[in-house]
Amino acid sequence: NAVVALTGLAIALREQEQWAESLATFRRAAETHPQLAAAQFNLGTCLLACNEAREAVSTLRTALALEPTAETRFNLALALLKSGAFKTGALAYEARWQAEWRGKERPFPGRRWTGAALPSGEPLVLWGEQGIGDEIMFAGLVAPATVRAGGPVFLECAPRLEPLFRRSFPAIEVVARETTPAPRLPSETVQCPLGSLPGALWPTTGVPPAAGAYLRADPVRVAALRAELAALGPGLKVGIAWRGGHPAAKRPRVIPPEAWPQLFASREIVPVCLQHGPEPAELAALERALDRTVHRIKSVDPLVDMDSFAALISALDGVVAVDNSTVHLAGALGAPTAVLLGFESDWRWGVDGVPCPWYSSVVRLRQKAPRDWTEPLAAAAEFLRQLHANA
């Protein structure tokens, strides 16, 4: 029928990143069939991708009233968060556990912590969830949670984050995640996934204060890497990463080599590779485009040792990167950072005009049109000029 045909066309346009045309087609389907939940849901998620977050909230609420599915609840939460309805969105974000693709909760039997002070001596177990970037981002609320809870706090995290988290949160016990919770973690006590801390701790109204530098790299390793970078010669040492997202994603976040030269027009900017697992071919293509070496610090591998990676970021003068875990680590370390956002940017980066509650040292630079990186990279070049002037 007509709505199936319109939806198919809109999806095909979306896959080709023809966002304006896709949105107009989804809108036609929703206007033609206002009582069809799927049509409202598709329009709402397309509005969300196109950064029309407030209209996405309204549309997804309509879809939810027509058919209250977990997937609609979860996307509504993302729309609320992206629009700046921070507390409401953070509480609604609990719908991630019912949306099948979001993964399952860890098997902690205790009751969920909701932000209240705990009786004296009662421990709180916090546990990481989702990807490395998510664990780092939500860890900005570990220190406030420790203060609020008032008793002993345990944090279970990804194994490669353990050394960094242990140094950064000396008041709590940090435990590397295992297949089942480690015996050192208290059982049947109050527990909370890190992604639920915003709902527990953010203020009811207003913009949550962005955390400053809450992770601390190894100062000895930072000093050694700073000396290694200095040996590369004069200039501002800038870490770059050009690829993010899961390799299987239909639209991975990638900035092609030919887009980067405007960032390095000045020879006083020295590029340093921060890309996770860079392929030799893509690194060679980038060096050809820049007509210079993109320096790799071979002793640092973020896929194995996040602690050394944190030290490298702390040793640099600044970071310019596509949205990936490197940006989260740089922001958590308080490093001057510009994140290059695609037109279809993630919920956590909000929309223009809405403050970002995650990192005080990260500047958001967004595409105005799909596949066109000219404007965000020009803004990043200005960001680096300011860094150089202040160095």
Side-chain angles (χ1 to χ4, degrees):
N1 59 26
V3 71
V4 172
L6 285 169
T7 300
L9 174 59
I11 291 171
L13 291 165
R14 183 180 64 192
E15 294 307 312
Q16 296 168 25
E17 295 187 81
Q18 297 183 39
W19 289 105
E21 296 84 351
S22 177
L23 182 57
T25 308
F26 275 128
R27 201 184 292 280
R28 253 182 83 197
E31 289 170 352
T32 306
H33 298 82
Q35 297 304 308
L36 186 62
Q40 299 295 333
F41 174 81
N42 288 328
L43 173 59
T45 54
C46 191
L47 286 162
L48 181 59
C50 291
N51 301 309
E52 300 292 343
R54 290 188 175 87
E55 189 181 352
V57 168
S58 173
T59 304
L60 288 166
R61 280 181 168 151
T62 299
L64 192 63
L66 292 169
E67 186 178 352
T69 68
E71 203 67 33
T72 303
R73 287 193 185 91
F74 180 63
N75 279 273
L76 175 58
L78 303 187
L80 288 162
L81 287 162
K82 196 168 188 178
S83 72
F86 293 111
K87 183 70 170 188
T88 307
L91 292 171
Y93 191 60
E94 290 304 303
R96 68 194 183 281
W97 302 119
Q98 285 75 50
E100 290 181 7
W101 60 273
R102 227 359 149 181
K104 296 180 180 179
E105 294 184 70
R106 294 283 285 157
F108 289 103
R111 72 184 187 278
R112 179 68 60 82
W113 188 59
T114 57
L118 297 175
S120 178
E122 185 170 9
L124 169 64
V125 173
L126 305 175
W127 47 276
E129 54 172 292
Q130 302 176 55
I132 288 287
D134 300 278
E135 287 199 54
I136 292 169
M137 183 182 80
F138 290 125
L141 290 165
V142 166
T146 301
V147 172
R148 181 78 66 86
V153 175
F154 297 77
L155 171 60
E156 183 196 63
C157 67
R160 60 187 164 128
L161 287 174
E162 182 193 7
L164 179 60
F165 278 10
R166 187 181 296 279
R167 181 186 309 105
S168 303
F169 305 120
I172 69 176
E173 183 164 353
V174 177
V175 178
R177 183 162 55 246
E178 301 175 14
T179 304
T180 57
R184 281 190 294 157
L185 291 169
S187 60
E188 299 186 19
T189 188
V190 186
Q191 51 85 22
C192 188
L194 291 186
S196 296
L197 290 181
L201 297 174
W202 276 355
T204 304
T205 58
V207 180
Y214 54 88
L215 296 185
R216 189 168 71 88
D218 178 357
V220 174
R221 187 80 175 109
V222 172
L225 285 165
R226 197 166 279 151
E228 190 172 346
L229 291 169
L232 300 177
L236 205 68
K237 310 305 188 297
V238 176
I240 61 170
W242 54 86
R243 173 168 39 81
H246 195 278
K250 291 181 180 178
R251 289 185 299 277
R253 301 182 290 272
V254 179
I255 302 179
E258 59 270 18
W260 286 95
Q262 65 174 313
L263 187 66
F264 293 98
S266 168
R267 288 282 164 177
E268 295 179 329
I269 310 297
V270 179
V272 178
C273 177
L274 295 181
Q275 182 59 54
H276 297 179
E279 297 292 336
E282 62 182 345
L283 192 58
L286 181 59
E287 290 184 328
R288 284 195 300 272
L290 296 180
D291 191 27
R292 71 175 83 178
T293 300
V294 177
H295 299 280
R296 286 190 67 192
I297 307 301
K298 294 183 180 178
S299 62
V300 176
D301 183 354
L303 297 176
V304 176
D305 182 3
M306 212 68 174
D307 205 25
S308 289
F309 193 50
L312 174 58
I313 288 173
S314 296
L316 291 164
D317 295 302
V319 172
V320 178
V322 73
D323 175 17
N324 65 12
S325 60
T326 297
V327 168
H328 292 288
L329 184 56
L333 291 162
T337 303
V339 57
L340 302 168
L341 299 172
F343 179 80
E344 181 195 10
S345 58
D346 200 54
W347 62 270
R348 71 199 73 220
W349 301 114
V351 294
D352 292 343
V354 174
C356 179
W358 303 114
Y359 312 108
S360 55
S361 69
V362 175
V363 175
R364 298 167 293 169
L365 306 175
R366 196 186 310 273
Q367 276 183 337
K368 301 303 180 190
R371 295 187 291 275
D372 183 1
W373 291 102
T374 306
E375 193 167 336
L377 279 164
E382 178 58 32
F383 169 80
L384 293 184
R385 277 193 289 273
Q386 292 297 322
L387 271 187
H388 194 259
N390 297 331

